Amino acid sequence: MPQAVRFDEYGAVEVLQVVEVERPVPGPGQVLVSVVAAGINPGEAKIRSGMLHDRWPAVFPSGQGSDLAGVVEEIGSGVQGFAVGDEVIGFTDNRASHAELVVVEAGNLTPRPAGVPWEAAGSLFVAGTTAYAAVRAVSLRAGDTVVVSGAAGGVGSVVVQLARLAGATVIGLAGAANHAWLTGLGVVPVAYGEGVADRIRAASDGGRVDAFIDTFGADYVELALDLGVSPDRIDTIINFAAVEKYGFKAEGSGAASSAEVLAELAGLIDKGLLEIPIAKVYPLAEVQDAYRELAQSHTRGKIVLRP
């Protein structure tokens, strides 16, 4: 029997278990995928802890995971464009990708280009589409200066690259350990912490900042206002209370969740124009350890499960 991550109650990482489950069967318009890699995300940890119960309640026993990449195992009726053995990138809205086998809507899949590593493919959906939507939300143009908080994190590391591709000057807020890596991407690294506003002004052209993308939370959106950024060019993927208070944008993966966006991002990786940094890969059986590391909030890029 195939294995999958399950939890029977809200709680800390200890509620996560890897158990045997019935073999999933694809229905009409669906594809059964043998998962090769599946990324993990902070939102999943918040759902598991119960923090998002009012918005996205869990039904127990609950599965987990959206991102996935793998090989087509079986095809449901009416599916066109995919065949058994195809290598695919995709996502599920059913909290189910942290498993050996997962049923996916055919419309949520796109072929995996040969130049896209499995780990990058399997962790592309949430981080990639969130970054794509955030960059689009602040309407970046060539010559703009944009500041990105959490610039070396799972989403931020993609945001800074897409912003550079848009022609913007990118100032990335990150710890010193990630400054050399950001510089290699053409990003201007700036240390976070006390005095960050002055350091940003010193790093920008004449102190001008046109846009701000917040992937970390805390008080970074207020910092954006202090820097003179217009609220309609500030996007946060985490500080929703500030959105209600100040009228900022909060566009994330929900605004770009499509196979078409996945295909576009995968194409950039295949051409060497985009990198999905992988912090660490864990076997499915060590899912608890994977989320413990994620909770430290100091990884560069994505943490991935390999069933």
Side-chain angles (χ1 to χ4, degrees):
M1 296 176 69
Q3 293 190 319
V5 173
R6 292 287 186 270
F7 61 101
D8 295 324
E9 60 182 339
Y10 291 129
V13 294
E14 287 76 18
V15 302
L16 296 175
Q17 302 296 325
V18 179
V19 301
E20 291 186 340
V21 296
E22 294 293 329
R23 179 183 173 88
V25 177
Q30 297 179 327
V31 174
L32 182 65
V33 177
S34 176
V35 179
V36 176
I40 72 173
N41 298 284
E44 294 150 2
K46 292 179 180 179
I47 289 173
R48 182 208 69 230
S49 71
M51 287 178 61
L52 299 179
H53 175 77
D54 291 342
R55 182 177 293 190
W56 294 301
V59 176
F60 301 115
S62 178
Q64 186 174 255
S66 301
D67 305 37
L68 64 98
V71 180
V72 174
E73 183 97 353
E74 189 178 337
I75 298 290
S77 64
V79 172
Q80 298 181 348
F82 294 103
V84 172
D86 285 352
E87 297 180 352
V88 294
I89 305 172
F91 63 95
T92 172
D93 295 322
N94 298 323
R95 302 179 189 174
S97 70
H98 296 167
E100 292 180 329
L101 294 171
V102 58
V103 169
V104 184
E105 299 298 323
N108 293 350
L109 295 171
T110 190
R112 180 183 78 97
V116 181
W118 279 112
E119 289 82 2
S123 57
L124 183 59
F125 170 62
V126 169
T129 58
T130 301
Y132 185 98
V135 170
R136 183 175 58 186
V138 299
S139 306
L140 287 183
R141 299 178 291 270
D144 280 345
T145 295
V146 59
V147 177
V148 180
S149 66
V155 175
S157 61
V158 183
V159 168
V160 296
Q161 295 178 76
L162 295 181
R164 287 288 295 141
L165 289 173
T169 295
V170 181
I171 296 173
L173 305 184
N178 290 308
H179 284 195
W181 180 78
L182 289 168
T183 299
L185 296 175
V187 176
V188 180
V190 167
Y192 53 77
E194 186 177 352
V196 65
D198 290 336
R199 291 192 292 276
I200 290 172
R201 291 187 181 98
S204 61
D205 183 8
R208 190 191 88 243
V209 176
D210 302 292
F212 198 110
I213 297 174
D214 169 40
T215 75
F216 189 84
D219 57 356
Y220 280 118
V221 286
E222 283 84 359
L223 170 64
L225 289 177
D226 291 343
L227 292 169
V229 183
S230 173
D232 65 350
R233 300 199 71 188
I234 300 171
D235 189 78
T236 179
I237 67 168
I238 192 167
N239 192 343
F240 302 117
V243 171
E244 296 180 6
K245 183 176 180 180
Y246 297 110
F248 303 141
K249 293 182 177 179
E251 293 189 18
S253 64
S257 296
S258 71
E260 290 75 19
V261 170
L262 270 182
E264 183 177 342
L265 293 169
L268 292 174
I269 299 171
D270 191 41
K271 294 173 184 176
L273 299 174
L274 176 65
E275 172 193 354
I276 305 298
I278 304 300
K280 194 165 183 179
V281 179
Y282 288 87
L284 189 67
E286 297 177 14
V287 62
Q288 291 186 8
D289 290 336
Y291 276 94
R292 288 189 184 100
E293 180 158 350
L294 181 71
Q296 301 304 310
S297 299
H298 290 301
T299 56
R300 179 192 302 165
K302 297 294 297 180
I303 297 172
V304 186
L305 298 175
R306 290 288 300 249

